[in-house]
Each structure stands twice: as C-alpha cells, then as structure tokens.
Amino acid sequence: MTDMQKYEPSFRILEGDLFPEVSLKDQHGRMVKLSELKNKFVVFYFYPQDDTPTCTKEACNIRDNFASLKRRGIKIFGISPDSEKSHLKFIEKHQLNFDLLIDDGHQLADQLGIWGLKFTFGREYEGLHRVTYVIGQDRRIVKIIYPVESGIHAQQIIDAVHAR
C-alpha cells in the first residue's frame, strides 16, 4: 500500500451488490426510504459538508443539470452528516432543486466504507469521502463513482447511466 492509498475509501459494498435498505431524513425531517423510490435510477451522492467550496461546486453542477438527470429517470439525493437546519440553509443559499439527506452519525457511510482517514491541507483526519452510488430499480449498485469530479459530476452520473 502506498502512503496515499491509506486515504482512500475501503468500499465494503461493491458494484453489483444490493445497496442497503435505508431510511434517512431529508432537510424537512421527512423520511426517505430507498424501497419506496420507484425511479429507473436512484443516485446517492455523498459529500463531506454543506456550503464548503468543493461541495458547493458539486451541488451547483447537479442543480444546473437537474432537468437532464430527471429526463433520464434519475432521482438524485445529496447525503452528508449535516443537520436539517444546515441542509435547508445550503439549499436556500444556492437554490438547489433536489433533496439533501442526513446520515446521522455517519452510520450509512461507515456501513459503505466511505467514512475514514483523509488527508487535506497537510493534516490527517477522519471524514466522509466524496463518493456517488448509482442504484438501479432492483436496488443493485450499477456504478460507484470515485473519484468524483465536482465541476462535471452530473456528466459523470449521466455517463454511468448511459453505459447501462
């Protein structure tokens, strides 16, 4: 293992596997359950923190390409450990047109293996890796997008769906 490999996600659930049945609160406190979503594809994009530069760039890219994603039968959710209040503020500030879910205590991220050691700006810390899961109607993971390119993330998602 190289020095930088220790800072990559451990991915405990892989492409082709069933995504865990999840129930997470959105920015309004409503429960969102994967089993109740009937879209062709569900996309969960995990991001570290509301209203930080790279996370904002990613969210705004998805916002700006939302119609194109929706036309392809994609239902998209952002997920971070941030609170309802933080998510609402982020949505309002950047006029986001999709819901943000709360991974309280990063339990889902732990289960997926995408919470772990990171290295940024010369320091090592535990945090959420920027990873996206494209999930089919059968709850199977169609594609795991990593690394995510925040400025073109919607296109990465479209490419993953188009490859199906």
Side-chain angles (χ1 to χ4, degrees), residues 27-86:
Q27 69 275 2
H28 299 293
R30 296 178 301 226
M31 292 304 289
V32 173
K33 296 179 181 180
L34 179 58
S35 62
E36 294 175 359
L37 302 172
K38 303 301 179 200
N39 300 73
K40 190 172 182 181
F41 297 98
V42 173
V43 171
F44 290 143
Y45 86 88
F46 289 81
Y47 65 98
Q49 189 176 359
D50 288 340
D51 213 23
T52 56
T54 306
C55 296
T56 299
K57 183 178 184 179
E58 180 180 20
C60 290
N61 177 259
I62 290 168
R63 175 201 65 204
D64 295 345
N65 293 282
F66 183 78
S68 182
L69 294 163
K70 187 175 179 180
R71 268 195 315 275
R72 288 169 170 83
I74 300 167
K75 178 74 172 169
I76 191 156
F77 297 92
I79 302 177
S80 81
D82 292 306
S83 68
E84 289 173 36
K85 183 178 177 183
S86 176

Side-chain angles (χ1 to χ4, degrees), residues 5-9 115-119 124-127 129:
Q5 283 177 314
K6 72 179 183 178
Y7 301 116
E8 293 181 5
W115 182 274
L117 202 56
K118 295 177 72 173
F119 188 84
E124 191 177 82
Y125 61 97
E126 291 277 319
H129 291 277

Side-chain angles (χ1 to χ4, degrees), residues 84-101:
E84 289 173 36
K85 183 178 177 183
S86 176
H87 279 346
L88 270 172
K89 186 176 172 185
F90 187 41
I91 287 168
E92 290 169 5
K93 181 176 180 182
H94 299 287
Q95 299 165 357
L96 302 182
N97 47 5
F98 53 92
D99 292 320
L100 301 178
L101 305 179

